[in-house]
Amino acid sequence: MAIRTVLRMGDPRLLEPSRRVEPLDTPELHALIADMEDTMKALNGAGLAAPQIGVDLQVVIFGVEFNPRYPEAEPVPYTVLVNPVLNPVGNEMEEGWEGCLSVPGMRGLVPRLSRLRYLGSDQFGRPIDRTVSGFHARVVQHECDHLAGILYPMRIRDLRNFGYNEELFPGEDLQEE
Ligand code: NI
């Protein structure tokens, strides 16, 4: 498989809504996901959406392993999520810092739902139905925003909370979604 070029903010393809994947469990879908995995791993990302490599399909992958340098960061199980639907659970919001492989080297403070239920399937068509909160919920919202053509800077409430990693978090090695 292959490491693909990640589109950066400013490329109009990142602003397009993505199409549903039908059917599932095809060689084309498996090849796409293999490329997405290779690309996310090569860039040490926490998540990647298909539009970020120029494919307008509703496919996201994400996962965060436990990192001893950031013991407070919750691990998120590695997940392939196709044709996702997000439903709020309650209306509580929380702000948190996000980065994005399409906005390299930057961080912004973004409000997200604290808790949500997400449904969809994996690449084989096996259903996924999870209710999550905190960082897991944040990552899912960030990735699924890509499928609607939304990049996290569009959601920042106060642009004073947007800047370069080296200035905001000196000396830290941060993951991007
Ligand atoms: Ni992103």
Side-chain angles (χ1 to χ4, degrees), residues 47 52 99-102 142-143 146 151-152 177:
Q52 292 181 276
C100 181
L101 292 169
S102 295
H142 176 112
E143 296 312 329
H146 280 294
L151 299 170
Y152 82 81
E177 295 117 51

Side-chain angles (χ1 to χ4, degrees), residues 45-65:
L48 187 70
Q52 292 181 276
I53 58 167
V55 176
D56 64 339
L57 292 174
Q58 293 178 13
V59 179
V60 304
I61 64 173
F62 51 85
V64 180
E65 290 175 9

Side-chain angles (χ1 to χ4, degrees), residues 14-18 51 143-151 155:
L14 290 170
L15 304 177
E16 293 294 324
S18 296
E143 296 312 329
C144 293
D145 260 1
H146 280 294
L147 305 181
I150 298 168
L151 299 170
R155 294 200 182 275

